[in-house]
Amino acid sequence: AKKGGGSVAPYDSSRDGASTDQLTLLAELREALAVDDQLQLALQPAVDLATGAPTGVEALVRWLHPRRGLLTPADFIGPVEHSEQLGAFTRYVLDKALAIAAGWARDGLDVPISVNISARSLLDPRLPAEIAEALRRHDVPPRRLVLEITETVVMSELEVVDEVLGALRAMGVQIAVDDFGTGFSSLTFLTRVPVDEVKVDRSFVIRMADSPEAAAIVRTTVGLAHELGLRVVAEGVETAEQRIALAELGCTAAQGYHFFKPMSADKISAVLGSLLDS
Ligand code: C2E
Ligand code: CA
Ligand code: CA
Ligand code: CA
């Protein structure tokens, strides 16, 4: 039960039911994309573990729904990813993120912004040209944009994805592998897809202290990434113990509530200003 054109994979309502609710939600999203300020970006810095300097800022979408209240990605990303509105949603988020990055550049804050890109958006051959146009329009250098992608890109689609990612990297846009280690073929993925950064999944950071296996995965990921000349960022760091253990395993950068919770665009300029000054 899905409306719209035939080029989009049907939404699998068996996964979480309530497909009428989702159709309502998608209709409301169409409105949210047309008006302004319902969809906002929360921003969370990642920091260098040695210096505390910001290494980048991740943009995390929030929907300030006029009736339902504050919605997080878990409340709506799934249906959006399977709908024909994914393209418009991706463009909207990228546009907001680049507007924010342009503001930082005007304030002399030299920090890249990371945007989460749904796997299915990477199958759209128009994506590189759209991103090039948005970068020009906001006058943001391509290196200031990092696209976070996951390994869920089906291996059989890797040819299209390769082409899209190749074009983006040729422009100077950076690519990060999100949730690294949670897929079935993480190592293969790294050898197949050209990337600049690896984000160690939060689940390993949580288990590191009690699980030698989790610690080994973190150590191996960090070693492999550095050997391949890639940056590594550990996600979801909540405690000083985790920060110290990560540094001991050779990890150089981290992100999580221990450092900063996601915050509004207004707040983050001041935070970045003080981090870069100190
Ligand atoms: P992710 O990319 O793995 O993002 C990290 C999530 O962990 C974020 O949740 C963030 O708020 C949360 N987080 C950060 N530090 C900590 C911590 O120390 N502890 C804990 N428990 N959580 C932490 P959020 O914002 O709800 O986003 C969830 C997921 O939604 C993201 O996972 C990403 O896959 C997706 N997402 C977020 N924004 C976008 C977007 O603009 N577009 C797309 N396509 N997906 C998005
Ligand atoms: Ca992410
Ligand atoms: Ca992640
Ligand atoms: Ca995740």
Side-chain angles (χ1 to χ4, degrees), residues 44 58 60-62 73 93 116 118 178-179 202 238 256-257 262:
Q44 185 182 39
E58 180 172 5
L60 297 156
V61 73
R62 303 286 178 262
V93 168
N116 292 284
S118 297
D178 208 350
D179 305 342
R202 185 167 81 90
E238 294 186 354
Y257 298 167

Side-chain angles (χ1 to χ4, degrees), residues 123-266:
L123 300 177
D124 184 347
R126 291 166 304 185
L127 187 71
E130 286 169 3
I131 290 180
E133 185 276 322
L135 286 164
R136 273 196 303 274
R137 183 157 36 83
H138 290 286
D139 196 22
V140 170
R143 293 216 64 79
R144 292 270 180 90
L145 176 63
V146 181
L147 304 180
E148 297 198 0
I149 65 170
T150 60
E151 309 155 72
T152 52
V153 175
V154 213
M155 284 290 175
S156 66
E157 316 252 44
L158 268 183
E159 265 176 37
V160 194
V161 172
D162 258 356
E163 219 176 286
V164 168
L165 292 182
L168 287 163
R169 276 190 106 226
M171 284 160 46
V173 171
Q174 304 195 64
I175 309 296
V177 191
D178 208 350
D179 305 342
F180 187 77
T182 59
F184 281 111
S185 46
S186 301
L187 297 182
T188 313
F189 189 84
L190 270 200
T191 64
R192 278 294 280 108
V193 177
V195 304
D196 302 280
E197 178 180 302
V198 170
K199 299 193 80 170
V200 177
D201 191 65
R202 185 167 81 90
S203 60
F204 301 112
V205 173
I206 293 170
R207 280 151 47 212
M208 220 173 28
D210 319 310
S211 154
E213 290 82 7
I217 287 172
V218 175
R219 187 186 306 109
T220 305
T221 301
V222 169
L224 176 70
H226 286 160
E227 202 149 315
L228 296 174
L230 313 175
R231 296 189 306 267
V232 193
V233 180
E235 303 184 311
V237 177
E238 294 186 354
T239 68
E241 288 73 25
Q242 290 169 343
R243 167 172 54 78
I244 292 162
L246 284 163
E248 279 170 355
L249 293 175
C251 188
T252 48
Q255 181 179 348
Y257 298 167
H258 175 63
F259 305 102
F260 297 101
K261 292 199 165 164
M263 62 189 103
S264 70
D266 291 346

